[in-house]
Amino acid sequence: MDAVTGRVRAAQNAVARISAVPLLVRVGIFVTVFAGFALAFPAEVLPGRPALFLGVAALMPAFGPRRIWATFTALVTVGGWLLATDGYGRPVALWRLLALAALLYLAHTLCALAALLPYDAVVDPELITRWLSRSAAVLLGTAVLGVLLLQAAGMGGEAGYQWVTVLGLVVAVGTAALLGWLLRRR
């Protein structure tokens, strides 16, 4: 019983010491992940109990950014988008795809920031501003480059090629494997 009491007191002490900036970063994680869910899933699925489950799922990376929850919610978001496009016949719109990719990236980068910040950290607001400015620059550059490449290839519109998706997945997995190998080699 003393162990449980000790853990409760430690949790109360941790909650009392939370500072504003790490709390706002974690709120940003929740809002970003939930907005990604709302954008990805079809409107017919969201009302009722699924919204509650998605809300709980969006809370998980906010509480545990160092754990698997960020990856889990990204996979749920992608699964919701696939459900909407394949299962409910929602057309693939470029704006929705770019917005979803931006929300996934923003959730990922906010989880990385939250993983570095202890709950009781005193943080200079300039750090958050620089972090979000870099993220916005990456998002803007990616969106502009993606739209330009689509226009240059003449693939915008209704045409969709499955081999391009598979090739992109192979490149992404290969890049992750190469980075992991280089990291272990060091």
Side-chain angles (χ1 to χ4, degrees), residues 18 23 26 29 56 58-67 69 119:
I18 291 176
L23 184 64
R26 291 169 195 278
I29 292 170
V56 170
L59 278 175
M60 298 311 287
F63 284 119
R66 289 187 184 119
R67 303 186 188 271
W69 300 117
Y119 283 106

Side-chain angles (χ1 to χ4, degrees), residues 38 40-51 83-85 87-90:
F41 278 89
E44 298 87 5
V45 175
L46 285 179
R49 225 178 253 171
L83 174 72
T85 55
Y88 284 84
R90 183 192 307 178

Side-chain angles (χ1 to χ4, degrees), residues 16-78:
R17 294 178 49 184
I18 291 176
S19 61
V21 173
L23 184 64
L24 286 175
V25 169
R26 291 169 195 278
V27 167
I29 292 170
F30 170 76
V31 168
T32 305
V33 170
F34 195 74
F37 287 160
L39 189 63
F41 278 89
E44 298 87 5
V45 175
L46 285 179
R49 225 178 253 171
L52 178 67
F53 291 134
L54 292 175
V56 170
L59 278 175
M60 298 311 287
F63 284 119
R66 289 187 184 119
R67 303 186 188 271
I68 194 137
W69 300 117
T71 304
F72 171 75
T73 55
L75 290 174
V76 168
T77 304
V78 170

